């Protein structure tokens, strides 16, 4: 079992930045692949970025590539998402997720553990 708690969301103007955190507990953090997803009202939950167990491999959705950085600190059981140059269309609830295994899946159904989400709102 892995327990995940997100923090760092808030209201920001377009062009601004936010740093989201995901604190993990339970299973050994370095044994799980991690990801950030987001869900806007009326839309499907979509992948933002995913990171390998060691942090050496990452994958980004095209919609955020170049504006977002995913990272993890295995010593402190925490994952991060740095959001820059934010746009109103980035407004969503952002979720962290974890899965066993090594592959970086984009499909949300491949992830076993989820946090409760943190709201990010970008005003124009």
């Amino acid at each position: 079992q892995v327990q995940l708690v997100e923090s760092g969301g808030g209201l920001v103007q377009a062009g601004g930045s936010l740093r989201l955190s995901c604190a993990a507990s339970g299973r050994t953090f370095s044994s799980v692949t991690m990801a950030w997803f987001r869900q806007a009202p009326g839309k499907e939950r979509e992948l933002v970025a995913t990171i390998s167990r060691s942090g050496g491999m990452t994958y980004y959705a095209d919609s955020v590539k170049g504006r977002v950085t995913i990272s993890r600190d295995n010593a402190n059981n925490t994952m991060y998402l740095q959001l820059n140059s934010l746009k109103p269309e980035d407004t969503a609830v952002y979720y962290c997720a974890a899965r066993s295994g090594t592959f970086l899946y984009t499909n949300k159904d491949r992830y076993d553990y989820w946090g409760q989400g943190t709201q990010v709102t970008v005003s124009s």
Side-chain angles (χ1 to χ4, degrees):
Q1 289 287 335
V2 179
Q3 292 77 44
L4 303 170
V5 179
E6 302 95 334
S7 61
L11 173 63
V12 63
Q13 288 188 329
S17 298
L18 281 174
R19 189 192 197 201
L20 307 183
S21 299
C22 173
S25 60
R27 188 170 172 177
T28 303
F29 185 61
S30 59
S31 72
V32 292
T33 297
M34 299 293 296
W36 287 98
F37 285 78
R38 68 184 182 186
Q39 187 167 19
K43 294 190 175 183
E44 291 285 320
R45 191 171 297 188
E46 62 176 5
L47 178 79
V48 177
T50 181
I51 188 166
S52 63
R53 294 182 297 182
S54 68
M57 292 180 61
T58 58
Y59 174 87
Y60 296 92
D62 287 342
S63 59
V64 301
K65 202 172 292 183
R67 301 188 296 119
V68 165
T69 302
I70 189 172
S71 61
R72 64 190 294 166
D73 180 349
N74 285 349
N76 291 296
N77 297 342
T78 306
M79 176 178 65
Y80 303 98
L81 188 70
Q82 179 68 42
L83 302 165
N84 298 323
S85 302
L86 283 162
K87 306 175 181 180
E89 51 264 42
D90 294 318
T91 295
V93 178
Y94 284 69
Y95 298 90
C96 66
R99 64 176 302 275
S100 303
T102 58
F103 291 112
L104 305 185
Y105 284 105
T106 61
N107 187 335
K108 64 182 184 302
D109 296 331
R110 291 286 190 170
Y111 290 81
D112 305 306
Y113 308 102
W114 293 86
Q116 82 289 349
T118 186
Q119 176 71 47
V120 171
T121 303
V122 184
S123 63
S124 57

